[in-house]
Amino acid sequence: MKKLLIAFLCFAFFQVAAQTSLPIIPAPVKAQTKPGNFTINEKTLIVVHGNTEKKTVDFFNNYLQKYYGFSLKTAAKASKNFISFTTRTFVKAPDKPERYTMEISPVSVQISGDADQGTFYGMQTLIQLLPVEKSAALKIPAATIEDYPRFAYRGAMLDVGRHFFDVSFVKEYIDLLALHKINTFHWHLTEDQGWRIEIKKYPRLTEIGGCRNGTIIGHHPGTGNDGKKYCGYYTQDQIKDVIAYAADRFITIIPEIELPGHSSAAIAAYPQLSCFPDESTKPAKGVVWYGDTTGKQVQQSWGVYEDVYCPSEYTFKFLEDVLDEVIALFPSKYVHIGGDECPKENWKRSAFCQNLIKKKGLKDEHGLQSYFIGRIEKYLNSKGKAIIGWDEILEGGLAPNATVMSWRGEKGGIEAAQQKHNVIMTPGTYAYIDHSQKKNEDSLTIGGYLPLQTAYNYNPIPKELKPDEYHYVLGAQANLWTEYVTNPAKVEYMAFPRLSALCEAFWTPVEKKSWENFKQRVTQQFKRYDRWGITYYPGLNEPVK
Ligand code: ACM
């Protein structure tokens, strides 16, 4: 009996050791190492059976070329020294299209996805098994892996309104997301401080709304103003190019067109969008303004502004026209329509809004916001699209088919799921990677504190939900607002390693997660970040929140 127990304990120990020794982030569902290794060298062939795995082969070969200086030839078959990428075929669509299995032996690596994205994720796992050192012979451990994500929605948001990031950096960021098996890039394209997407019918949006005359220096309200004109926007051709680039990496891009708040840049371009078109833009209190102070202006500091879209027919026609161009560009099922932080002061003092509230039998200005969002939802639904909105869209009653993005903690997400609406969890406490990641952050951040371990510990299913409500949680997302993120290196520094921690919250089953084990794997990941040439915060021991 004792012997049996010892044998069992040894077996259990080796099971755990075998499961935890592979440096894969996010940790796979099942992984078992085996004796021996497979070695990739210049003679290794990639076996593919058709064209369906082309995206996977291209990503892998580009990666090998970039970081190891060689790439592999493809073949229809091989008997040894090969990597095969296969996508299974099913009579009906597979339940888990992102699932893959992987068999690594001394003679081959065989990766099979349940759909193309599964095969792609198997390849991403293979990348993580490559040694980080550059060499002509890349030894990887023999293993058997089966893996699939916990959540179908695994997102990362980048705000390009406060600071603009050019196409080449956006593509680099998308590559980093793909390397973490993130499948959604939420592109926050419009803000008080800049409108960043070309709309052909309304050229002033980018001519006027795409530039601000200056930016505050330091923390809001700032110690002054840099007085530098700050401009940037993406042409529609650039947007199409980025969408295709992301699609090659199985990443869907969801555009965000903010309404009714955070719209000073659009109002600067088309003042009739405001309920008070003749009033000059008010800078925030204490802000040093640069340049013209008359008329409507693009904001030069951060925060929340009272001059929001007026719910007039002019505005709805404008938004429908804008959305027509947006949906013609983005194949995504969803359009994010914002909905957060919309002050109601202007609607309260507008005779037009007060009449509209009466005419439509609405309760108050929150009801008016719901009317606004509801109309936009109806329009987008009629075009075959669905809306996502920040959790304020709950306040005057949810639009019938809306998905809620819960950011002010988990409360909005819980409430929406209880109302049988889909939810994406992005609570500030766990998922706001614009917050400081150490107690004494020496670079400027918006404030807040989100250390790595707290991000790692995140579980997107709130404990308040009942099991039959879990399925409303589509997944979760990391948000990177860029008030204090002015350049690509700072984006990387804020994102990493916290995005590596969060992607595990999005992908790995809770029972497979272990902070101690993640710490070891992320240490290996730091070496990979070094190979990728990205900036990151290397601390692992900041106290949890
Ligand atoms: C938000 O952070 N205002 C959604």
Side-chain angles (χ1 to χ4, degrees):
M1 186 63 199
K2 206 165 152 194
K3 268 193 194 148
L4 207 63
L5 186 67
I6 290 170
F8 173 75
L9 287 176
C10 284
F11 174 74
F13 173 80
F14 285 115
Q15 279 289 94
V16 171
Q19 294 233 2
T20 55
S21 57
L22 296 172
I24 303 165
I25 294 177
V29 173
K30 283 188 204 151
Q32 186 80 55
T33 50
K34 297 187 300 189
N37 296 288
F38 179 78
T39 302
I40 300 177
N41 54 35
E42 291 185 37
K43 296 216 168 70
T44 304
L45 289 172
I46 296 180
V47 173
V48 280
H49 303 288
N51 211 25
T52 164
E53 292 84 14
K54 184 175 179 334
K55 293 173 184 177
T56 297
V57 173
D58 287 351
F59 193 102
F60 188 63
N61 264 337
N62 286 337
Y63 191 93
L64 284 182
Q65 190 65 52
K66 191 164 172 190
Y67 298 110
Y68 299 97
F70 65 95
S71 61
L72 304 180
K73 293 203 171 63
T74 58
K77 62 178 188 203
S79 56
K80 60 178 177 16
N81 193 14
F82 69 92
I83 299 168
S84 72
F85 293 126
T86 310
T87 301
R88 296 186 178 91
T89 49
F90 290 85
V91 180
K92 279 199 306 193
D95 299 346
K96 292 188 169 70
E98 296 177 304
R99 176 179 171 274
Y100 67 90
T101 57
M102 186 162 173
E103 209 43 68
I104 307 169
S105 77
V107 292
S108 64
V109 176
Q110 302 195 37
I111 294 173
S112 306
D114 282 10
D116 289 340
Q117 50 273 57
T119 315
F120 183 80
Y121 292 135
M123 178 275 294
Q124 293 298 350
T125 294
L126 178 59
I127 280 180
Q128 299 212 358
L129 293 174
L130 298 173
V132 280
E133 295 74 28
K134 189 169 176 177
S135 157
L138 308 173
K139 209 155 117 180
I140 57 172
T144 300
I145 297 173
E146 184 195 358
D147 199 15
Y148 48 85
R150 182 173 176 209
F151 294 103
Y153 184 108
R154 305 179 301 280
M157 184 280 285
L158 183 66
D159 164 17
V160 296
R162 274 54 175 263
H163 285 100
F164 178 73
F165 297 92
D166 67 13
V167 165
S168 104
F169 179 69
V170 170
K171 287 181 173 176
E172 275 175 49
Y173 199 59
I174 285 171
D175 276 338
L176 292 170
L177 302 186
L179 287 159
H180 288 82
K181 302 188 175 93
I182 285 174
N183 66 0
T184 308
F185 176 56
H186 167 178
W187 210 356
H188 183 80
L189 287 163
T190 69
E191 257 307 335
D192 292 307
Q193 298 80 11
W195 181 284
R196 307 289 178 215
I197 170 171
E198 176 189 29
I199 300 295
K200 297 207 194 272
K201 195 158 182 186
Y202 297 93
R204 287 171 61 86
L205 283 172
T206 43
E207 279 164 25
I208 306 291
C211 292
R212 58 179 180 260
N213 287 330
T215 305
I216 58 153
I217 298 165
H219 264 135
H220 178 90
T223 54
N225 190 308
D226 68 8
K228 292 186 192 144
K229 197 162 173 145
Y230 187 93
C231 301
Y233 73 91
Y234 309 102
T235 65
Q236 293 199 356
D237 283 342
Q238 286 176 320
I239 298 235
K240 282 184 210 157
D241 176 40
V242 174
I243 291 168
Y245 188 87
D248 283 348
R249 286 146 185 80
F250 297 95
I251 290 178
T252 300
I253 303 188
I254 297 181
E256 181 178 352
I257 305 296
E258 269 267 14
L259 55 94
H262 285 293
S263 297
S264 304
I267 290 171
Y270 295 95
Q272 305 92 304
L273 294 168
S274 163
C275 291
F276 300 97
D278 300 327
E279 287 183 4
S280 294
T281 295
K282 290 193 206 89
K285 209 164 151 232
V287 162
V288 176
W289 192 262
Y290 188 82
D292 196 358
T293 53
T294 58
K296 298 293 188 191
Q297 299 289 333
V298 179
Q299 288 291 354
Q300 301 178 12
S301 181
W302 327 123
V304 170
Y305 295 95
E306 288 176 11
D307 206 5
V308 301
Y309 287 140
C310 199
S312 63
E313 291 311 307
Y314 174 85
T315 300
F316 285 114
K317 174 78 174 78
F318 163 84
L319 288 171
E320 287 172 11
D321 289 343
V322 166
L323 290 169
D324 281 347
E325 293 194 29
V326 168
I327 61 185
L329 290 168
F330 289 87
S332 151
K333 167 181 162 191
Y334 294 107
V335 175
H336 198 306
I337 50 74
D340 61 322
E341 299 179 322
C342 177
K344 305 295 184 292
E345 279 75 6
N346 276 14
W347 292 357
K348 279 188 186 144
R349 66 188 179 92
S350 151
F352 169 79
C353 292
Q354 292 307 311
N355 273 334
L356 191 60
I357 288 174
K358 276 201 205 98
K359 203 166 109 194
K360 299 280 172 196
L362 305 170
K363 190 158 162 260
D364 54 13
E365 292 73 24
H366 292 296
L368 188 54
Q369 164 138 345
S370 285
Y371 162 78
F372 199 123
I373 305 280
R375 256 186 83 159
I376 295 294
E377 177 181 73
K378 206 164 164 196
Y379 186 74
L380 284 168
N381 286 172
S382 78
K383 305 275 170 183
K385 299 286 180 180
I387 66 162
I388 301 175
W390 299 109
D391 58 45
E392 285 91 332
I393 66 168
L394 279 151
E395 282 167 5
L398 267 182
N401 307 310
T403 294
V404 172
M405 199 166 256
S406 187
W407 72 279
R408 295 175 302 175
E410 297 175 279
K411 194 168 154 279
I414 295 164
E415 229 175 284
Q418 288 169 345
Q419 291 184 34
K420 304 190 185 321
H421 278 253
N422 286 337
V423 168
I424 296 156
M425 299 301 290
T426 69
T429 32
Y430 293 103
Y432 266 44
I433 55 174
D434 57 337
H435 292 181
S436 298
Q437 52 200 320
K438 57 176 170 166
K439 287 271 183 196
N440 299 312
E441 179 56 74
D442 42 11
S443 78
L444 202 59
T445 74
I446 199 153
Y449 176 55
L450 176 60
L452 184 66
Q453 190 174 354
T454 302
Y456 185 79
N457 289 343
Y458 183 46
N459 181 353
I461 301 282
K463 59 182 179 325
E464 290 81 355
L465 290 187
K466 299 200 191 85
D468 65 349
E469 292 163 339
Y470 292 173
H471 69 278
Y472 292 114
V473 180
L474 303 180
Q477 175 172 292
N479 289 339
L480 185 46
W481 301 104
T482 59
E483 288 91 335
Y484 302 102
V485 179
T486 58
N487 59 73
K490 184 81 182 271
V491 170
E492 293 164 2
Y493 173 79
M494 298 308 283
F496 296 102
R498 288 181 292 188
L499 211 46
S500 296
L502 283 164
C503 79
E504 194 148 312
F506 305 165
W507 181 283
T508 306
V510 181
E511 61 281 8
K512 297 273 167 183
K513 286 177 69 190
S514 149
W515 165 246
E516 287 307 320
N517 181 254
F518 177 75
K519 273 208 307 195
Q520 290 167 24
R521 284 178 289 127
V522 85
T523 306
Q524 181 75 1
Q525 186 82 340
F526 288 169
K527 294 186 195 151
R528 227 169 270 131
Y529 297 158
D530 290 333
R531 288 305 307 279
W532 299 341
I534 65 170
T535 308
Y536 60 97
Y537 174 60
L540 291 174
N541 296 315
E542 301 303 327
V544 282
K545 213 162 47 175

